[in-house]
mmCIF file of all heavy atoms in Angstrom:
data_model
loop_
_atom_site.group_PDB
_atom_site.id
_atom_site.type_symbol
_atom_site.label_atom_id
_atom_site.label_comp_id
_atom_site.label_asym_id
_atom_site.label_seq_id
_atom_site.Cartn_x
_atom_site.Cartn_y
_atom_site.Cartn_z
ATOM 1 N N VAL V 555 -123.530 -59.229 103.091
ATOM 2 C CA VAL V 555 -123.712 -57.930 102.445
ATOM 3 C C VAL V 555 -123.671 -56.809 103.478
ATOM 4 O O VAL V 555 -123.051 -55.757 103.257
ATOM 5 C CB VAL V 555 -125.031 -57.902 101.655
ATOM 6 C CG1 VAL V 555 -125.320 -56.503 101.123
ATOM 7 C CG2 VAL V 555 -124.984 -58.896 100.500
ATOM 8 N N GLU V 556 -124.301 -57.018 104.622
ATOM 9 C CA GLU V 556 -124.297 -56.002 105.677
ATOM 10 C C GLU V 556 -122.882 -55.704 106.156
ATOM 11 O O GLU V 556 -122.516 -54.537 106.366
ATOM 12 C CB GLU V 556 -125.160 -56.482 106.842
ATOM 13 C CG GLU V 556 -125.290 -55.479 107.973
ATOM 14 C CD GLU V 556 -126.183 -55.971 109.076
ATOM 15 O OE1 GLU V 556 -126.638 -57.139 108.996
ATOM 16 O OE2 GLU V 556 -126.426 -55.209 110.029
ATOM 17 N N PHE V 557 -122.076 -56.750 106.310
ATOM 18 C CA PHE V 557 -120.690 -56.549 106.731
ATOM 19 C C PHE V 557 -119.903 -55.752 105.695
ATOM 20 O O PHE V 557 -119.198 -54.785 106.028
ATOM 21 C CB PHE V 557 -120.025 -57.899 106.971
ATOM 22 C CG PHE V 557 -118.532 -57.816 107.174
ATOM 23 C CD1 PHE V 557 -118.007 -57.446 108.395
ATOM 24 C CD2 PHE V 557 -117.658 -58.098 106.129
ATOM 25 C CE1 PHE V 557 -116.634 -57.358 108.590
ATOM 26 C CE2 PHE V 557 -116.288 -58.008 106.304
ATOM 27 C CZ PHE V 557 -115.775 -57.641 107.542
ATOM 28 N N TYR V 558 -120.024 -56.133 104.410
ATOM 29 C CA TYR V 558 -119.195 -55.478 103.406
ATOM 30 C C TYR V 558 -119.641 -54.038 103.155
ATOM 31 O O TYR V 558 -118.808 -53.165 102.928
ATOM 32 C CB TYR V 558 -119.229 -56.261 102.101
ATOM 33 C CG TYR V 558 -118.198 -55.755 101.119
ATOM 34 C CD1 TYR V 558 -116.878 -56.188 101.188
ATOM 35 C CD2 TYR V 558 -118.532 -54.812 100.163
ATOM 36 C CE1 TYR V 558 -115.925 -55.701 100.315
ATOM 37 C CE2 TYR V 558 -117.584 -54.320 99.282
ATOM 38 C CZ TYR V 558 -116.282 -54.770 99.364
ATOM 39 O OH TYR V 558 -115.328 -54.277 98.486
ATOM 40 N N VAL V 559 -120.945 -53.775 103.191
ATOM 41 C CA VAL V 559 -121.412 -52.398 102.996
ATOM 42 C C VAL V 559 -120.868 -51.501 104.097
ATOM 43 O O VAL V 559 -120.431 -50.363 103.845
ATOM 44 C CB VAL V 559 -122.947 -52.357 102.942
ATOM 45 C CG1 VAL V 559 -123.453 -50.924 103.024
ATOM 46 C CG2 VAL V 559 -123.444 -53.011 101.660
ATOM 47 N N ASP V 560 -120.866 -51.985 105.341
ATOM 48 C CA ASP V 560 -120.296 -51.206 106.436
ATOM 49 C C ASP V 560 -118.803 -50.970 106.229
ATOM 50 O O ASP V 560 -118.305 -49.856 106.451
ATOM 51 C CB ASP V 560 -120.543 -51.925 107.760
ATOM 52 C CG ASP V 560 -119.915 -51.209 108.932
ATOM 53 O OD1 ASP V 560 -120.381 -50.116 109.293
ATOM 54 O OD2 ASP V 560 -118.914 -51.735 109.479
ATOM 55 N N GLN V 561 -118.092 -52.018 105.798
ATOM 56 C CA GLN V 561 -116.668 -51.851 105.535
ATOM 57 C C GLN V 561 -116.429 -50.878 104.385
ATOM 58 O O GLN V 561 -115.523 -50.035 104.439
ATOM 59 C CB GLN V 561 -116.048 -53.203 105.196
ATOM 60 C CG GLN V 561 -115.995 -54.178 106.360
ATOM 61 C CD GLN V 561 -114.926 -53.806 107.366
ATOM 62 O OE1 GLN V 561 -113.752 -53.673 107.030
ATOM 63 N NE2 GLN V 561 -115.336 -53.632 108.623
ATOM 64 N N HIS V 562 -117.216 -50.989 103.342
ATOM 65 C CA HIS V 562 -117.063 -50.110 102.170
ATOM 66 C C HIS V 562 -117.297 -48.651 102.537
ATOM 67 O O HIS V 562 -116.534 -47.768 102.122
ATOM 68 C CB HIS V 562 -118.044 -50.548 101.080
ATOM 69 C CG HIS V 562 -118.121 -49.595 99.922
ATOM 70 N ND1 HIS V 562 -117.198 -49.571 98.908
ATOM 71 C CD2 HIS V 562 -119.029 -48.616 99.631
ATOM 72 C CE1 HIS V 562 -117.517 -48.633 98.030
ATOM 73 N NE2 HIS V 562 -118.617 -48.038 98.447
ATOM 74 N N ASN V 563 -118.331 -48.377 103.315
ATOM 75 C CA ASN V 563 -118.663 -46.992 103.644
ATOM 76 C C ASN V 563 -117.732 -46.393 104.693
ATOM 77 O O ASN V 563 -117.307 -45.243 104.569
ATOM 78 C CB ASN V 563 -120.103 -46.907 104.154
ATOM 79 C CG ASN V 563 -121.118 -47.088 103.049
ATOM 80 O OD1 ASN V 563 -120.802 -46.930 101.868
ATOM 81 N ND2 ASN V 563 -122.339 -47.432 103.425
ATOM 82 N N ARG V 564 -117.389 -47.166 105.702
ATOM 83 C CA ARG V 564 -116.754 -46.597 106.895
ATOM 84 C C ARG V 564 -115.260 -46.860 107.009
ATOM 85 O O ARG V 564 -114.518 -46.017 107.545
ATOM 86 C CB ARG V 564 -117.466 -47.144 108.139
ATOM 87 C CG ARG V 564 -117.036 -46.554 109.457
ATOM 88 C CD ARG V 564 -117.880 -47.112 110.586
ATOM 89 N NE ARG V 564 -117.867 -48.567 110.603
ATOM 90 C CZ ARG V 564 -116.931 -49.290 111.214
ATOM 91 N NH1 ARG V 564 -115.936 -48.695 111.846
ATOM 92 N NH2 ARG V 564 -116.988 -50.613 111.191
ATOM 93 N N VAL V 565 -114.774 -48.007 106.487
ATOM 94 C CA VAL V 565 -113.401 -48.429 106.773
ATOM 95 C C VAL V 565 -112.497 -48.346 105.552
ATOM 96 O O VAL V 565 -111.373 -47.830 105.640
ATOM 97 C CB VAL V 565 -113.399 -49.873 107.327
ATOM 98 C CG1 VAL V 565 -111.980 -50.334 107.613
ATOM 99 C CG2 VAL V 565 -114.262 -49.959 108.584
ATOM 100 N N LEU V 566 -112.934 -48.865 104.424
ATOM 101 C CA LEU V 566 -112.053 -49.031 103.270
ATOM 102 C C LEU V 566 -111.824 -47.705 102.549
ATOM 103 O O LEU V 566 -112.785 -47.066 102.090
ATOM 104 C CB LEU V 566 -112.652 -50.047 102.294
ATOM 105 C CG LEU V 566 -112.925 -51.440 102.872
ATOM 106 C CD1 LEU V 566 -113.524 -52.345 101.815
ATOM 107 C CD2 LEU V 566 -111.645 -52.039 103.436
ATOM 108 N N PRO V 567 -110.576 -47.259 102.441
ATOM 109 C CA PRO V 567 -110.302 -46.021 101.699
ATOM 110 C C PRO V 567 -110.451 -46.246 100.202
ATOM 111 O O PRO V 567 -110.234 -47.340 99.687
ATOM 112 C CB PRO V 567 -108.855 -45.693 102.078
ATOM 113 C CG PRO V 567 -108.250 -47.007 102.431
ATOM 114 C CD PRO V 567 -109.352 -47.846 103.018
ATOM 115 N N HIS V 568 -110.811 -45.182 99.507
ATOM 116 C CA HIS V 568 -111.004 -45.241 98.059
ATOM 117 C C HIS V 568 -109.824 -44.558 97.378
ATOM 118 O O HIS V 568 -109.433 -43.455 97.754
ATOM 119 C CB HIS V 568 -112.321 -44.561 97.661
ATOM 120 C CG HIS V 568 -112.854 -45.023 96.350
ATOM 121 N ND1 HIS V 568 -112.249 -44.712 95.152
ATOM 122 C CD2 HIS V 568 -113.936 -45.780 96.037
ATOM 123 C CE1 HIS V 568 -112.946 -45.240 94.160
ATOM 124 N NE2 HIS V 568 -113.964 -45.902 94.667
ATOM 125 N N SER V 569 -109.276 -45.223 96.352
ATOM 126 C CA SER V 569 -108.096 -44.678 95.676
ATOM 127 C C SER V 569 -108.410 -43.367 94.961
ATOM 128 O O SER V 569 -107.519 -42.521 94.775
ATOM 129 C CB SER V 569 -107.561 -45.704 94.676
ATOM 130 O OG SER V 569 -108.553 -46.045 93.715
ATOM 131 N N ALA V 570 -109.654 -43.157 94.537
ATOM 132 C CA ALA V 570 -110.002 -41.928 93.821
ATOM 133 C C ALA V 570 -110.074 -40.716 94.734
ATOM 134 O O ALA V 570 -110.100 -39.584 94.249
ATOM 135 C CB ALA V 570 -111.338 -42.110 93.099
ATOM 136 N N PHE V 571 -110.099 -40.938 96.050
ATOM 137 C CA PHE V 571 -110.251 -39.840 97.001
ATOM 138 C C PHE V 571 -108.988 -39.598 97.816
ATOM 139 O O PHE V 571 -109.059 -38.987 98.888
ATOM 140 C CB PHE V 571 -111.422 -40.127 97.955
ATOM 141 C CG PHE V 571 -112.719 -40.406 97.255
ATOM 142 C CD1 PHE V 571 -113.572 -41.396 97.710
ATOM 143 C CD2 PHE V 571 -113.073 -39.697 96.122
ATOM 144 C CE1 PHE V 571 -114.761 -41.659 97.060
ATOM 145 C CE2 PHE V 571 -114.261 -39.955 95.458
ATOM 146 C CZ PHE V 571 -115.104 -40.940 95.925
ATOM 147 N N GLY V 572 -107.859 -40.085 97.369
ATOM 148 C CA GLY V 572 -106.613 -39.842 98.092
ATOM 149 C C GLY V 572 -106.546 -40.523 99.435
ATOM 150 O O GLY V 572 -105.858 -40.036 100.340
ATOM 151 N N GLY V 573 -107.275 -41.622 99.621
ATOM 152 C CA GLY V 573 -107.245 -42.350 100.878
ATOM 153 C C GLY V 573 -108.441 -42.124 101.766
ATOM 154 O O GLY V 573 -108.542 -42.733 102.843
ATOM 155 N N GLN V 574 -109.381 -41.290 101.376
ATOM 156 C CA GLN V 574 -110.580 -41.068 102.169
ATOM 157 C C GLN V 574 -111.601 -42.179 101.915
ATOM 158 O O GLN V 574 -111.668 -42.765 100.835
ATOM 159 C CB GLN V 574 -111.208 -39.718 101.831
ATOM 160 C CG GLN V 574 -110.301 -38.522 102.084
ATOM 161 C CD GLN V 574 -111.007 -37.213 101.793
ATOM 162 O OE1 GLN V 574 -111.976 -36.848 102.459
ATOM 163 N NE2 GLN V 574 -110.535 -36.500 100.781
ATOM 164 N N THR V 575 -112.403 -42.451 102.923
ATOM 165 C CA THR V 575 -113.473 -43.423 102.784
ATOM 166 C C THR V 575 -114.710 -42.741 102.189
ATOM 167 O O THR V 575 -114.831 -41.499 102.225
ATOM 168 C CB THR V 575 -113.814 -44.029 104.148
ATOM 169 O OG1 THR V 575 -114.320 -42.987 104.998
ATOM 170 C CG2 THR V 575 -112.586 -44.650 104.790
ATOM 171 N N PRO V 576 -115.666 -43.508 101.663
ATOM 172 C CA PRO V 576 -116.900 -42.891 101.170
ATOM 173 C C PRO V 576 -117.657 -42.092 102.228
ATOM 174 O O PRO V 576 -118.235 -41.042 101.907
ATOM 175 C CB PRO V 576 -117.709 -44.098 100.687
ATOM 176 C CG PRO V 576 -116.677 -45.087 100.278
ATOM 177 C CD PRO V 576 -115.567 -44.927 101.264
ATOM 178 N N ASP V 577 -117.668 -42.560 103.470
ATOM 179 C CA ASP V 577 -118.330 -41.788 104.528
ATOM 180 C C ASP V 577 -117.656 -40.441 104.733
ATOM 181 O O ASP V 577 -118.329 -39.413 104.929
ATOM 182 C CB ASP V 577 -118.309 -42.582 105.838
ATOM 183 C CG ASP V 577 -119.510 -43.499 105.967
ATOM 184 O OD1 ASP V 577 -120.349 -43.504 105.035
ATOM 185 O OD2 ASP V 577 -119.608 -44.232 106.975
ATOM 186 N N GLU V 578 -116.338 -40.429 104.713
ATOM 187 C CA GLU V 578 -115.608 -39.161 104.910
ATOM 188 C C GLU V 578 -115.840 -38.217 103.737
ATOM 189 O O GLU V 578 -115.906 -36.993 103.944
ATOM 190 C CB GLU V 578 -114.121 -39.456 105.082
ATOM 191 C CG GLU V 578 -113.795 -40.164 106.398
ATOM 192 C CD GLU V 578 -112.375 -40.693 106.430
ATOM 193 O OE1 GLU V 578 -111.762 -40.820 105.349
ATOM 194 O OE2 GLU V 578 -111.880 -40.980 107.533
ATOM 195 N N MET V 579 -115.987 -38.733 102.549
ATOM 196 C CA MET V 579 -116.304 -37.877 101.414
ATOM 197 C C MET V 579 -117.742 -37.373 101.503
ATOM 198 O O MET V 579 -118.020 -36.204 101.188
ATOM 199 C CB MET V 579 -116.097 -38.643 100.115
ATOM 200 C CG MET V 579 -114.651 -38.900 99.773
ATOM 201 S SD MET V 579 -113.727 -37.370 99.410
ATOM 202 C CE MET V 579 -114.590 -36.776 97.960
#
């Protein structure tokens, strides 16, 4: 869970944000 939460927040872009990650939003 710790690995995926870090990937979700910092690395993986979100399609709803035009390629931005949740951290960048």
Side-chain angles (χ1 to χ4, degrees):
V555 173
E556 183 178 4
F557 170 80
Y558 190 83
V559 169
D560 177 69
Q561 292 286 304
H562 171 80
N563 287 341
R564 186 176 54 86
V565 179
L566 302 180
H568 203 290
S569 59
F571 305 140
Q574 300 183 65
T575 64
D577 272 0
E578 291 169 342
M579 288 294 297

